Amino acid sequence: MSEGSPHGRSPSEGTPGVAGDTPEAPARKPRTRMAPKERRRQLVGIGLRKLVERPIHELSIDEVAQEAGISRGLLFHHFPNKTAFHDEVVAAAGRRVMRNTAPDEGLAPEPALEQFVRRYLAQIARRRDFYLALVFGRGAVALGGERVESLRTAIAQRTLGILGLDESALPVAHAWAAYAEDRALQWSGRPAGERARTEDEEVTHCVRALGALLGLEQSGPAD
């Protein structure tokens, strides 16, 4: 311990609260060297965590770089511009939704569809703010509209795959995906005790809605 310093500091280090001290700026995390792919994964992962708190257009490049312990310039070494980084975060968010809602392999079509709908409902209920920031955050269309639209298309295509339907049914499945999304957001937006339907009832409703839409499509135009 340094002489004359009860806290073990040398005089040059200063003592908090003593006039003349200059407050230190928040320190950036120590930089750790990473392979380019690993660094990109780290940066996108930070972006995903922050997407829970704010819409994509408010995702700060400086905050992400600081948390990663790198400079803003180095972040742009991995992504050509802010829009490209935001777009990659949106794409990764979509992949996460699809991964978390995939039905178990080997199930027959009907139970697989029910499990998919149940997991999709649970995903939105569990991460509702994240989903809202991803799909409906102001600027989402400008920054990641194609990616967001591709999420709904991916849901529709998975539905076709589960049921063994061909691409001609894609428009119906896509419309159903938007309907199921809206139902899930409305259902999850109410406190559990105030929901008009139970989870089982909501899943059953969405599954039946898909069957009804497909039946209308197969029946052809009205006379």
Side-chain angles (χ1 to χ4, degrees):
M1 184 176 294
S2 301
E3 185 177 353
S5 175
H7 300 289
R9 295 186 181 89
S10 65
S12 62
E13 289 179 287
T15 302
V18 176
D21 284 347
T22 302
E24 295 182 1
R28 179 186 295 157
K29 289 185 178 180
R31 179 178 170 184
T32 303
R33 296 185 66 84
M34 293 182 180
K37 287 185 178 180
E38 186 180 359
R39 178 67 74 186
R40 281 177 63 91
R41 282 197 299 271
Q42 180 205 32
L43 294 170
V44 171
I46 293 171
L48 282 170
R49 290 198 301 274
K50 292 186 177 299
L51 189 60
V52 177
E53 307 165 359
R54 67 200 74 176
I56 187 67
H57 76 286
E58 293 180 2
L59 184 56
S60 167
I61 293 294
D62 292 328
E63 285 184 28
V64 172
Q66 183 175 23
E67 185 168 330
I70 62 174
S71 68
R72 176 187 178 95
L74 185 56
L75 185 147
F76 286 127
H77 175 74
H78 296 281
F79 301 92
N81 51 50
K82 182 177 180 178
T83 298
F85 175 67
H86 284 173
D87 198 43
E88 187 56 39
V89 172
V90 169
R95 290 193 296 271
R96 173 180 286 183
V97 171
M98 296 305 296
R99 183 172 63 250
N100 290 346
T101 59
D104 296 340
E105 294 184 6
L107 291 178
E110 289 187 6
L113 178 63
E114 180 180 328
Q115 189 178 74
F116 174 39
V117 173
R118 187 178 301 280
R119 288 179 176 177
Y120 182 61
L121 184 68
Q123 171 75 12
I124 291 182
R126 184 174 62 252
R127 303 294 297 278
R128 190 171 187 274
D129 290 343
F130 172 87
Y131 198 93
L132 286 169
L134 167 64
V135 179
F136 297 106
R138 190 182 65 191
V141 173
L143 294 171
E146 292 182 4
R147 298 287 195 179
V148 171
E149 183 62 23
S150 72
L151 170 59
R152 296 190 182 119
T153 300
I155 290 171
Q157 289 175 332
R158 172 175 286 169
T159 302
L160 298 185
I162 289 172
L163 298 178
L165 300 175
D166 61 37
E167 290 291 315
S168 65
L170 183 60
V172 172
H174 191 282
W176 172 80
Y179 177 76
E181 176 188 89
D182 187 65
R183 295 282 310 191
L185 287 170
Q186 290 190 50
W187 182 83
S188 62
R190 293 180 175 274
E194 298 178 12
R195 292 169 181 165
R197 298 174 186 265
T198 66
E199 179 180 298
D200 287 344
E201 290 170 339
E202 193 65 29
V203 170
T204 298
H205 173 88
C206 289
V207 170
R208 287 179 175 174
L210 176 59
L213 287 171
L214 289 170
L216 284 172
E217 183 71 10
Q218 291 166 1
S219 66
D223 293 334

